[in-house]
Amino acid sequence: MKANKINHDHPSKMEARHIDEVRNMTPQQRFEKMMAIIELSNMLKNAKKISK
């Protein structure tokens, strides 16, 4: 599959690209990616809101 420099494409093509990327990852890489998402989720959940 051709690698694009920008992440703008038809949703079905972007989904297929994402699936290919995940399939090519090792289990360790998948775990690290999942942990990064969980950490980001927790940071956003616990972040203080700034009201103007």
Side-chain angles (χ1 to χ4, degrees), residues 9-16:
D9 210 347
H10 191 270
S12 62
K13 290 182 182 179
M14 290 187 66
E15 183 178 5

Side-chain angles (χ1 to χ4, degrees), residues 2-15 17-18 21:
K2 179 181 157 189
N4 290 338
K5 291 187 178 183
I6 57 175
N7 292 326
H8 302 292
D9 210 347
H10 191 270
S12 62
K13 290 182 182 179
M14 290 187 66
E15 183 178 5
R17 186 176 336 137
H18 177 70
E21 288 174 5

Side-chain angles (χ1 to χ4, degrees), residues 38-52:
I38 291 171
E39 288 175 6
L40 178 61
S41 176
N42 283 334
M43 287 191 313
L44 291 172
K45 177 181 164 187
N46 297 328
K48 292 185 178 180
K49 295 181 180 178
I50 300 173
S51 59
K52 290 185 178 183

